[in-house]
Every structure is written in structure tokens, then in C-alpha cells.
Amino acid sequence: MKKMGKVARLAALLVLTLLFGLFPIGSGNNLNKVQAATTLNNPRTVADSSMNAKQKVTWDCV
């Protein structure tokens, strides 16, 4: 019986710890919006004589 009490206490502690992790600490009112560093330009082509198509194409990805 004594061992079962330890297991039950450990299980309760684990459940409480996991439940506490669901709630954010502090207020969410101070979150700033993230601004993009650059705008997306699809595709960018640059002349490159070493390639078969004579141009190099670069795509932006998110």
C-alpha cells in the first residue's frame, strides 16, 4: 500500500505539471507583430553564361 501511495503522488504531480504547462505565463497583450525583412520576388533571373539556359533562376521560399 505504501508503494501505491508514492506512485499515485508521482502521477498527480506529473498531471499537475502538464496541466500547468497549458497556461501561458504573463499577458499576451504585449506581443508585437512581426514585420517581413524583405518582400518576396518570384522568380529572380540573372544572366549566367556558364549555364545551359544562359540564366540563373532563384526563387524565394518561406
Side-chain angles (χ1 to χ4, degrees):
M1 284 300 224
K2 207 174 203 185
K3 188 173 185 179
M4 189 60 172
K6 287 182 181 180
V7 172
R9 258 191 253 163
L10 183 61
L13 180 64
L14 180 62
V15 168
L16 288 174
T17 304
L18 292 174
L19 285 175
F20 184 70
L22 291 175
F23 302 108
I25 297 174
S27 65
N29 295 335
N30 60 355
L31 298 176
N32 297 328
K33 294 200 180 226
V34 176
Q35 298 294 327
T38 59
T39 57
L40 296 177
N41 298 316
N42 289 326
R44 287 188 303 259
T45 57
V46 177
D48 189 354
S49 61
S50 67
M51 304 195 75
N52 289 339
K54 305 294 184 213
Q55 66 183 358
K56 181 170 128 181
V57 180
T58 305
W59 291 80
D60 290 340
C61 58
V62 178

